[in-house]
Amino acid sequence: MAGGVIVPSDVPAANYGGGLTLSVFMSCLVAASGGLIFGYDIGISGGVSQMEPFLKRFFPGVLKRMSQAKGDEYCMYDSQALTAFTSSLYIAGLVASLVAGRVNRVMGRQAVMLMGGALFVAGGALTGAAVNIAMLILGRMLLGFGVGFTNQAAPLFLAEMAPSQWRGALTAGFQFFLAVGVLIAGITNYATARLTWGWRLSLGLAGAPAIFIFVGALFLTDTPSSLVMRGQVDRAHVALRRVRGPGADVDAELNDIVRAVDVALQSEDGAFRRIATRREYRPHLVLAVAVPMFFQLTGVIVLSFFAPLVFRTVGFGSNAALMGAVILGAVNLVSLLLSTLVIDRYGRKVLFMVGGIIMIICQVGVAWIMGAQIGKSGEAGMPRPYAVATLVFTALHTAGFGCSWGPLYWVVPSEIFPVDIRSAGQAMNVSIGLCLTFVQTQSFLAMLCTFKYATFAYYAAWVAVMTVFIAVFLPETRGIPLESMGAIWARHWYWKRFVVDQGKVEALT
């Protein structure tokens, strides 16, 4: 077998006992609420982008462009300036997520969440009070820094704090709150659309969820793994006893954490270099790139941003389009709740497969309806029954995403990385995701204008590719403690060539 890292083989044996205590639940609730920040921004941008008072103040040229594009329904909202308002946040988030990886390692998860919350409060206040483009963009940049910090730290906090038997459900809480944020944003847009200053209220309220996570993080204890990484073993023992409860074997779990950290600290080169160059980390490198890339290529993120604009394209009025976005947010939230109930019972791969099949069928359905009714020219109007059918297919597509890639995008990366590269791996996952979010948001409306209905067939093809990839290359991680996660790679049909199982080594010696 090719050389690689040696990992323990006793995956099922590492059961430390304990259950879901009130302390761990409240800690994870606060950390998961960081998803509100990202979710609110995802949901608010598309609605604000179609508010006429907002466009008149900051993008007057867009209104003129829209009036000239009425002949082609696909191109009604094609404007790079307008999409830049949404996408500029994610460049700032990309930079922040890379910096947050090092800060996370040095200062801990709690400190990074505090920074993210504070930056988002400042960004929300600035965008809500903006009087010119400079203030608007600066506010968006501060929001981006907040997203980058929070998205990096919160999923790691959840994965490291949660008991292994509850890790999937608790880590999925981040996506649950993200969905709550999207829904709240949709309702806010719908309620404020008729007000001349409604866009200010929509943008300014971005600071409200950030206040919650900032204040909550002040009362959190950092994770045992993070404390041990920073040499605070005694504090880690106290934190572990507090969150695991009296029935848990805290000493055994702490010993495994310390052993994992000691192995991690034996290497002198940087975590990013190890991921990129060392053979034993090849599985982690591939998934650190593939998971955020595939997540973006589901098409749900851009649909969440631009849902009101898409529904306007298929014939809904302004208020009906905003209500359509609210419906999508509600469907996403319900599907996430259902996935939380089964994620630790049936495993990650089952949800990936079911959600992938649903998304493929629905995207093909949307492409077929739009192609048959609007056509390639985009000049034909869509009859109301077909517009409603498009909404139904889009809602079902959102449900498929909500029970699969929605929560699992945060669950899987947060649990597959060894402790020595966990911060760097999560930083790669978040930064790649934010970079691709920028590309997707900046190009989606132009893509819709160019490729017409085939845009949705394009996303359907990618969902088919990612579903096959997950089925073949992702090992099941359900119920496996983080400290024993290395053994799943040693037993995988393909990744075992990079990772050596310690049990086999001992048998040979």
Side-chain angles (χ1 to χ4, degrees), residues 214-466:
F214 179 83
V215 174
L218 291 173
F219 299 95
L220 292 181
T221 300
D222 215 340
T223 69
S225 293
S226 178
L227 291 169
V228 172
M229 284 289 289
R230 289 179 283 138
Q232 302 177 27
V233 178
D234 290 339
R235 285 189 61 193
H237 188 272
V238 173
L240 202 57
R241 185 171 297 281
R242 176 184 175 187
V243 298
R244 292 292 182 261
D249 191 349
V250 172
D251 292 333
E253 184 172 0
L254 182 62
N255 288 337
D256 283 347
I257 293 174
V258 171
R259 185 161 49 248
V261 170
D262 287 342
V263 171
L265 295 178
Q266 289 175 5
S267 178
E268 296 181 356
D269 54 347
F272 285 106
R273 180 181 297 179
R274 290 200 296 277
I275 296 176
T277 61
R278 289 196 175 185
R279 180 179 175 85
E280 60 264 32
Y281 295 128
R282 193 69 50 78
H284 310 89
L285 175 62
V286 170
L287 287 169
V289 175
V291 170
M293 181 184 73
F294 287 148
F295 176 79
Q296 294 297 326
L297 290 171
T298 61
V300 170
I301 292 298
V302 288
L303 190 59
S304 297
F305 284 127
F306 300 119
L309 308 188
V310 172
F311 291 141
R312 288 288 295 272
T313 298
V314 300
F316 285 104
S318 178
N319 290 333
L322 289 173
M323 180 52 66
V326 173
I327 292 172
L328 292 189
V331 169
N332 188 32
L333 184 60
V334 172
S335 61
L336 281 166
L337 284 171
L338 294 177
S339 70
T340 302
L341 298 176
V342 300
I343 191 172
D344 287 313
R345 176 176 298 180
Y346 299 111
R348 286 55 164 153
K349 295 185 73 170
V350 171
L351 295 183
F352 272 126
M353 298 302 104
V354 173
I357 292 171
I358 293 173
M359 286 191 288
I360 292 170
I361 294 172
C362 293
Q363 284 173 325
V364 170
V366 170
W368 177 78
I369 292 174
M370 294 183 74
Q373 298 302 314
I374 300 180
K376 292 183 179 179
S377 66
E379 296 180 358
M382 181 179 289
R384 179 51 60 92
Y386 288 97
V388 173
T390 301
L391 174 60
V392 171
F393 270 122
T394 306
L396 291 174
H397 174 263
T398 301
F401 172 84
C403 71
S404 57
W405 280 92
L408 294 174
Y409 169 67
W410 303 103
V411 173
V412 172
S414 67
E415 64 187 5
I416 63 173
F417 295 110
V419 67
D420 61 320
I421 62 169
R422 191 170 294 154
S423 292
Q426 183 67 9
M428 284 184 64
N429 178 66
V430 172
S431 59
I432 291 172
L434 289 172
C435 180
L436 292 175
T437 300
F438 168 78
V439 174
Q440 291 272 86
T441 53
Q442 191 65 32
S443 62
F444 175 72
L445 294 179
M447 185 177 174
L448 183 63
C449 181
T450 302
F451 295 107
K452 318 297 183 183
Y453 61 87
T455 301
F456 298 93
Y458 165 84
Y459 285 118
W462 272 113
V463 175
V465 170
M466 67 185 72

Side-chain angles (χ1 to χ4, degrees), residues 39-187:
Y40 188 86
D41 184 78
I42 288 175
I44 211 69
S45 301
V48 169
S49 296
Q50 71 146 21
M51 292 183 184
E52 190 170 327
F54 174 79
L55 295 175
K56 282 183 177 180
R57 186 173 190 91
F58 296 105
F59 305 99
V62 173
L63 287 176
K64 181 178 179 181
R65 185 182 181 91
M66 288 166 55
S67 64
Q68 294 173 345
K70 288 182 179 178
D72 188 343
E73 297 290 340
Y74 293 112
C75 299
M76 184 183 302
Y77 291 95
D78 181 23
S79 168
Q80 290 299 301
L82 183 59
T83 53
F85 160 70
T86 297
S87 61
S88 59
L89 178 148
Y90 299 99
I91 289 297
L94 168 62
V95 174
S97 66
L98 294 174
V99 175
R102 180 173 295 274
V103 178
N104 221 338
R105 187 182 181 93
V106 175
M107 299 182 63
R109 318 324 186 195
Q110 179 198 27
V112 175
M113 286 190 288
L114 285 170
M115 294 177 193
L119 287 166
F120 213 85
V121 170
L126 202 58
T127 53
V131 295
N132 52 46
I133 289 290
M135 283 186 67
L136 191 67
I137 297 303
L138 180 58
R140 295 289 292 176
M141 290 178 64
L142 291 175
L143 292 172
F145 291 143
V147 166
F149 275 91
T150 307
N151 285 12
Q152 214 279 344
L156 289 183
F157 184 96
L158 291 165
E160 292 176 347
M161 191 66 79
S164 59
Q165 65 270 30
W166 289 93
R167 190 176 61 243
L170 291 176
T171 307
F174 187 86
Q175 178 66 22
F176 169 78
F177 277 100
L178 191 153
V180 172
V182 172
L183 180 59
I184 292 174
I187 295 172

